[in-house]
Amino acid sequence: MSSAHARTLAAHPSRTEPVLFDRALVWFRRDLRSDDHAALSAALAQARQVWCVFVFDTVLLEPLPRADRRVEFIRESLVELDAALRAGGGELIVRHGPAVDEVPRLALQLGAQAVYTHRDYEPAAVARDARVRGALADQGMVFYALKDQVVFDTDELMTASGSPYSVFTPYKNAWLKKVSGHDLQPYATLDPAIALAGVLAKPPQPMAGHGVPSLSALGFETTGITRWLPPGMTGAAERLDDFLERIDTYAQARDFPAVKGPSYLSVDLRFGTVSPRRLARLAHERFIGGSRGAETWLSELIWREFYMQVLHHHPRVVDHCFRPEYDALRWEHGRRAEQLFAAWCEGRTGYPLVDAAMAQINQTGYMHNRLRMLTASFLTKDLGIDWRWGERYFAQHLNDYDLAANNGGWQWAASTGCDAQPYFRIFNPVTQSEKFDADGRFIRRYLPQLQTLPAPTLHAPWRAGPLELSAAGVVLGRDYPEPIVEHDVARQHTLARYQAVKTAARSGGGR
């Protein structure tokens, strides 16, 4: 027995001996790959016949715009997944409808005794899975939700008192102390020694042969995302190979938006086109080998898991501040707040790096991590807008949108979350620009109207003299807006806003 097969059997509480089913169904969701796949591995080890399904869940799709980059990325990734399953003797069944109805219905049609999938930590997904579990139980079927998105989940990492961590550094230290080679070992899936001939099965007629539906059949339009973000396992492998050549410089390069510093693997982690275990294993091995870049990247992977365990243990953070006293913050409201928010969304704040960052997300669905922190700080602390407004905007536009990470990042920037930056630490958009885009390469790429402004004035065009603006062909208010707020004044308003809450909490007024 291979070590990966042994890992598969040991990963499930009843797997000391394989529990054999005649038929099983694997439900793909945020795990669009055929390798190192816990649910597929378990099903192949425990069932005589295995079918695979992906559901385009209309509950999730209906609120989306018709041109949504993520839907196209998923659809194209499914084409590759289907091809991989066909090479193994099976086929991907694709359904379009509410998953709570489609999965139990398909399991019944196939005569499956078990459905395998991966655990999801988002409250809406937890509720969905509970309904599916109940519907399957009514049909006499079992539902297995296995760990896949993270190395450690739910209660696997707890403090000495048995409570979940709320500070990152102790969580990271506990993660590093606990992790072993076993935790990072891949699951066997389409290994011929494990997936014996005929186990991975094609669906019976009339369900077979339909393939992955087109975008138009799903009611969506082409966005062109795959021209610059290759989808699926192949795209993830290309991005990983590219990053591994640069990983040793990650710690220094990751903060500069005009530099090819990030891994660009966040969308692959979001949709599971690459195994989280593989990334953690590569990072951990290179970290042990002395790579500072790998150490920093591993910390980022652990941050991702930290925010998932926060969401699991504190689902209220979806709508509320992690620190309850900050639910009393008095954010800007009314027409003025709506105007400020619109200017932020559209990149019309008058602060070039903020506006260039918003142009990046609006045009591509991607935003550099340093700029995510800057734009979030600007919205909440320069404009005084509720962090939930910005969180929702990112949720609509980010290709790699993940509720746990998005919520955690926004609450970190707004100083309302666990282990957040102190409320009095407020990013200065000009000094951030001067430090992280010193020569203005990123700004010029996304704000071509400022192309010819020299770097010293590019970061704050309102400080430029008339001759400099004239030579660059820039008229403030026509070609580029004046700042919508003055940072130093806004900073004082923010300090007062947070201090009022702190004072009320100390005096008992916040209870």
Side-chain angles (χ1 to χ4, degrees), residues 164-365:
Y165 285 93
S166 60
V167 179
F168 173 69
T169 299
Y171 177 86
K172 173 186 170 182
N173 291 339
W175 193 102
L176 291 171
K177 183 178 180 180
K178 182 178 179 69
V179 74
S180 68
H182 176 79
D183 297 309
L184 304 179
Q185 196 175 57
Y187 288 92
T189 48
L190 300 187
D191 180 344
I194 307 302
L196 301 177
V199 176
L200 192 61
K202 291 184 180 296
Q205 296 292 345
M207 287 185 276
H210 296 297
V212 181
S214 65
L215 276 177
S216 60
L218 295 167
F220 286 84
E221 303 168 5
T222 300
T223 66
I225 184 175
T226 58
R227 289 197 299 270
W228 58 270
L229 188 67
M233 296 174 282
T234 300
E238 291 173 356
R239 283 182 283 278
L240 179 57
D241 288 345
D242 176 76
F243 177 58
L244 291 178
E245 295 179 358
R246 305 179 280 106
I247 190 172
D248 291 337
T249 62
Y250 175 78
Q252 298 79 33
R254 67 181 181 134
D255 277 324
F256 300 90
V259 173
K260 193 176 183 181
S263 71
Y264 303 109
L265 287 161
S266 57
V267 70
D268 299 298
L269 280 165
R270 171 61 181 85
F271 296 113
T273 50
V274 70
S275 162
R277 285 172 296 281
R278 184 183 183 196
L279 300 189
R281 182 171 65 253
L282 290 169
H284 191 258
E285 289 172 353
R286 294 188 181 223
F287 159 51
I288 297 301
S291 170
R292 174 68 192 284
E295 178 183 9
T296 304
W297 187 47
L298 181 59
S299 290
E300 294 301 306
L301 296 177
I302 299 173
W303 265 109
R304 174 179 171 272
E305 297 198 6
F306 174 67
Y307 282 141
M308 283 193 178
Q309 67 93 27
V310 169
L311 181 63
H312 168 74
H313 288 288
H314 307 280
R316 68 181 298 277
V317 299
V318 173
D319 300 308
H320 299 278
C321 299
F322 178 85
R323 300 176 62 180
E325 68 269 24
Y326 284 133
D327 281 329
L329 281 167
R330 295 178 61 86
W331 301 105
E332 298 294 327
H333 61 280
R335 185 177 180 184
R336 174 59 175 163
E338 292 171 359
Q339 291 173 336
L340 292 172
F341 182 63
W344 178 85
C345 293
E346 297 164 12
R348 297 185 287 103
T349 70
Y351 288 87
L353 190 57
V354 173
D355 292 341
M358 297 308 296
Q360 183 182 45
I361 190 175
N362 290 334
Q363 293 173 26
T364 71

Side-chain angles (χ1 to χ4, degrees), residues 32 101 106 124 188 312 321 324 355 358 365 384 421 497:
L32 306 183
D101 299 326
L106 178 61
H312 168 74
C321 299
D355 292 341
M358 297 308 296
Q421 66 171 349
R497 175 179 290 114

Side-chain angles (χ1 to χ4, degrees), residues 56 61 64 68-75 215 220:
F56 280 103
L61 296 182
L64 300 177
D68 189 284
R69 300 180 188 93
R70 294 163 295 193
V71 176
E72 183 171 359
F73 184 89
I74 291 169
R75 191 265 166 193
L215 276 177
F220 286 84

Side-chain angles (χ1 to χ4, degrees), residues 438-477:
D439 59 5
R441 286 170 53 200
F442 181 82
I443 291 172
R444 290 190 177 90
R445 177 177 178 180
Y446 286 100
L447 301 179
Q449 65 270 44
L450 301 181
Q451 187 73 238
T452 56
L453 267 181
T457 55
L458 181 66
H459 307 291
W462 65 92
R463 295 177 183 171
L467 292 180
E468 286 179 298
L469 291 172
S470 177
V474 174
V475 176
L476 294 181

